Amino acid sequence: MIYGPRDINSDVRRSADVAVIGSGAGGGPIAKELSEAGYSVVVLEEGAHYTREDFNLDPVDSFVKMYRDAGQTLTLGVPSILLPLGKTVGGTTTINSGTALRMPRQVLKKWQLVHGLRDITEEELNLLYAHLEEYLYVKRADPEVAGKVAQTFLTGAQKLGLSAGWLPRNAKDCEGYGSCVFGCPNDSKQSVNLTFIPDAVRNGADVYTCCRVEKIKLENGKATGVQGIFLDPQTGKKRYDLDVNARVVVLAAGAVYSPYFLLRQGICNSSGQVGKNLQIHPAVQTVALFDRPLDPPKGIPQACYVDDFREEGIMLEGGTVPPEIHALALPFTGKKHVQLMKNYPRMGIFGGMVSDTASWGRVVNVPRAGWRPTMFYMLRGKDVEKAKFAVSLMAQIWFASGAQKVITPIVGHYEIRGPSDLRRLERSVLSAKDFYAMSAYHPLGTCRMGDDPEWSVVKSTGETWDVENLYICDGSVLPSSPGVNPQLTIMALAIRCAGFIDERLSGNGSSGLSFISGKEGQQRVK
Amino acid sequence: MTFLGISEGFGMSSRIKNLKTDLTRWADSTTTEKDEKNVLNGKDLKGGRRMTMLFRRQIEKLVRFYFHSCYWSGMPEADPDDQVAFVQWFMGVGAPEFKILYMICIISLHLFSLILRRRTFHGLSEQGKEEFMERLLRSRNPLLRGVPVLLSLPVLISYYRRDEVRIPMGFDPLNLKKDAEKHLVTRNGAPVPEKEEVG
């Protein structure tokens, strides 16, 4: 059952085989797999449970309900970057764009060679990806509903001979309401709140919402359960206590909150790596003005891609946003801003995502009001160049598709009106402070996986080096940025981790999970 | 002389202490309408409430500045009361540092204006304000540029989220929601039950 605030009227003390902290791309699959194997599973989610009836396509309403700090989470550094994080059943998958891409094999090779993760094989990951793609109805975005903005951009990319196409998405019968990141209004997007969590509940798992775990119980170096509180969703104040005894605890609170949780409690950090190595996908956007209507925001917000430069860490993905978000992307003020916004129906917006390799980021625990981590992030070196190139590439594509002018987020180059402006941008030498405003997605790497206890936080099984029976399974364990949207990879690693937890709980050294116990699973166990 | 509610004559430490108290109280926007009436009736307000009201006025002036050209551009005019209430509410639901940062930005805007234009920001003409804001936005110094960027964030959302603005632009959430309800999707393709309950 999914317990909401109305269902909890006293302290909760109970036991379970597995306590899962977080219900997103990591926690959801683990809960489903282990409950299916017959274990009693308790999922503890700090956010509330919302359904399509609550998804009214209003961005602000969505920010307040389902985003941490109403979407106002920022990194400290140059530039300061907006890093939206989900806080609801389903985690960030409930409010993401629904892009479901496999990780490039080169990234796995790097993990194997640099981080010693040789037992994660390409074959195993491919099997998990295939399973997930079937379970989540992953298919390419439908050009019929993708919207004019995406179609226009794709046409421009094709004119330039770039490798481009429609993105694979975990959406079934999508009608293109342009609202993926505010909650899908017709349940088309197969996010964790609609897939893994309901399946886990059908298998007998209990999900407690508005419930913040504050401590992992430890005994002789082993995790034995969790303690936390139930929160009032309106005031955020404590209502009741929670105490769960569990044989295994899974921390799946995401790459920002999982390390923060460990740092607060002061555990699992013998390596000193908890919170370090924060990697994100910094994103730059360009806005183009056309002489014909593009009818935003109808369509799929993230429908197509250009991946010609993916190996260099640049991926273009995008579509449309509603006016209140679009307005924030224009680096103008007063009359000029209003004049441009008046042309909203004739404007398109597209984003470029940078896979960071030279930048520096860290999650730290410094005193702040409430339960809030602090994130430091400095965009540096090659990553600045990549961001600039992404902007320039998008501008060229826009012009190839007939744009009158392109608006960029780079100081000194806000308006690109043609080839000469474009050349000036390409020749410019930029630093991180030259970006007007940046957002970023997919925080990763803050409790990284590896074969060296002095250099990583968790083993390749997902179990922490320091605390037995404590597993971490979310974006924080990915040792480096995959360069593409990571939800499918996080889910794949979560299912893999569930197999190891099953082995631990069953005590017979092999997993009995339905998906893993077949021929493929036996391969993995060997 | 007072500047944004900080009076002369206090020692520096008490000034900072007062400012801190005022800043934390500022989020309480529910009292501001009452405060406005008290001021109109000639009643004096205590520091925190005076601060709240002063910042409310500052935001209102910002809203008027950002959208002063709407009428001439054929866009719906700003609704300062509604928008100011939204800005205050929006900052109250986010990270607590955000609203403090916002107040610092308002003060900084006036300080920069005093330094660069020898007048407070609101003392400039509409044209002067636009030029000054553009200058800040084009600055390569992220601290200078950060001021208008942060100030515009809730103000812009407060305007473009209004139905009378966004519906003519082509974004009608209510209609889209109605349409979405006609195209509900279930995982197994089964008809949608009256009210789905999981578990």
Side-chain angles (χ1 to χ4, degrees), chain A residues 38-317:
Chain A
Y39 296 106
S40 61
V41 177
V42 168
V43 180
L44 307 155
E45 169 57 51
E46 191 180 349
H49 180 222
Y50 296 104
T51 65
R52 64 158 182 268
E53 285 159 19
D54 305 297
F55 302 151
N56 59 10
L57 296 99
D58 188 292
V60 172
D61 190 58
S62 160
F63 289 153
V64 173
K65 282 179 183 165
M66 294 185 286
Y67 284 69
R68 286 199 179 269
D69 287 332
Q72 300 165 13
T73 36
L74 285 168
T75 63
L76 294 181
V78 179
S80 191
I81 297 175
L82 192 70
L83 182 64
L85 303 169
K87 193 180 94 169
T88 178
V89 171
T92 306
T93 69
T94 308
I95 46 144
N96 71 5
S97 56
T99 299
L101 285 162
R102 294 185 180 197
M103 182 173 75
R105 60 187 294 276
Q106 294 88 340
V107 180
L108 179 63
K109 280 277 170 236
K110 187 181 160 194
W111 290 5
Q112 290 170 338
L113 294 171
V114 178
H115 299 277
L117 299 174
R118 288 180 185 86
D119 56 337
I120 305 179
T121 63
E122 197 180 338
E123 294 74 31
E124 181 189 24
L125 266 189
N126 283 340
L127 282 167
L128 289 164
Y129 282 140
H131 165 69
L132 284 164
E133 283 161 356
E134 190 185 342
Y135 179 70
L136 299 172
Y137 295 93
V138 174
K139 62 171 189 175
R140 299 269 167 190
D142 179 357
E144 294 291 312
V145 295
K148 284 184 191 169
V149 174
Q151 283 165 352
T152 305
F153 193 83
L154 200 58
T155 308
Q158 283 160 350
K159 273 186 191 169
L160 294 179
L162 296 166
S163 162
W166 299 106
L167 280 166
R169 305 175 67 247
N170 51 320
K172 189 186 176 204
D173 304 329
C174 176
E175 293 283 337
Y177 291 107
S179 179
C180 304
V181 296
F182 313 120
C184 181
N186 69 336
D187 280 355
S188 165
K189 190 176 72 177
Q190 301 295 295
S191 43
V192 171
N193 59 318
L194 287 182
T195 52
F196 294 102
I197 291 294
D199 282 353
V201 169
R202 277 183 209 105
N203 297 331
D206 283 330
V207 181
Y208 291 96
T209 63
C210 300
C211 163
R212 186 166 69 211
V213 174
E214 296 193 327
K215 193 181 172 190
I216 292 170
K217 296 198 285 185
L218 301 173
E219 233 176 78
N220 303 323
K222 291 183 180 180
T224 57
V226 296
Q227 286 177 332
I229 55 171
F230 287 97
L231 302 160
D232 185 314
Q234 303 300 322
T235 62
K237 287 183 181 162
K238 175 186 164 179
R239 291 174 68 227
Y240 301 107
D241 283 318
L242 167 88
D243 194 317
V244 179
N245 290 322
R247 293 164 67 196
V248 162
V249 174
V250 180
L251 180 57
V256 175
Y257 275 76
S258 283
Y260 174 65
F261 186 95
L262 298 176
L263 290 168
R264 260 186 92 107
Q265 196 174 339
I267 57 171
C268 299
N269 200 16
S270 63
S271 64
Q273 294 296 316
V274 173
K276 291 185 180 173
N277 320 306
L278 171 68
Q279 294 206 306
I280 54 179
H281 284 149
V284 282
Q285 80 289 323
T286 51
V287 177
L289 180 67
F290 286 80
D291 58 0
R292 58 184 188 272
L294 296 184
D295 302 334
K298 188 86 175 102
I300 299 172
Q302 202 168 78
C304 65
Y305 67 90
V306 174
D307 68 348
D308 242 343
F309 300 92
R310 192 174 70 181
E311 283 179 22
E312 290 170 40
I314 297 159
M315 185 84 179
L316 308 186
E317 296 174 352

Side-chain angles (χ1 to χ4, degrees), chain A residues 52-53 55 58 72 135 137 172 177 186 190 195 324 335 341-342 368 411 414 433-435, chain B residues 69 73 90 94 97 130 134 137-138 140 145 160 166 169 177 179 183 185-187 192 195:
Chain A
R52 64 158 182 268
E53 285 159 19
F55 302 151
D58 188 292
Q72 300 165 13
Y135 179 70
Y137 295 93
K172 189 186 176 204
Y177 291 107
N186 69 336
Q190 301 295 295
T195 52
E324 48 263 63
K335 200 187 291 178
M341 276 305 289
K342 202 182 160 190
R368 286 184 68 188
V411 178
Y414 285 154
K433 63 182 169 57
D434 292 322
F435 287 87
Chain B
S69 66
S73 310
F90 191 60
E97 294 90 349
E130 291 223 0
E134 285 289 321
L137 276 173
R138 288 177 187 279
R140 289 192 73 184
R145 197 173 62 239
Y160 290 103
R166 63 187 177 184
M169 287 179 144
K177 175 74 180 162
D179 190 54
H183 297 94
V185 175
T186 53
R187 269 178 71 71
V192 182
K195 186 171 168 84

Side-chain angles (χ1 to χ4, degrees), chain A residues 324-339:
Chain A
E324 48 263 63
I325 310 301
H326 189 100
L328 307 179
L330 304 178
F332 305 106
T333 188
K335 200 187 291 178
K336 192 164 187 180
H337 193 281
V338 169
Q339 285 291 352

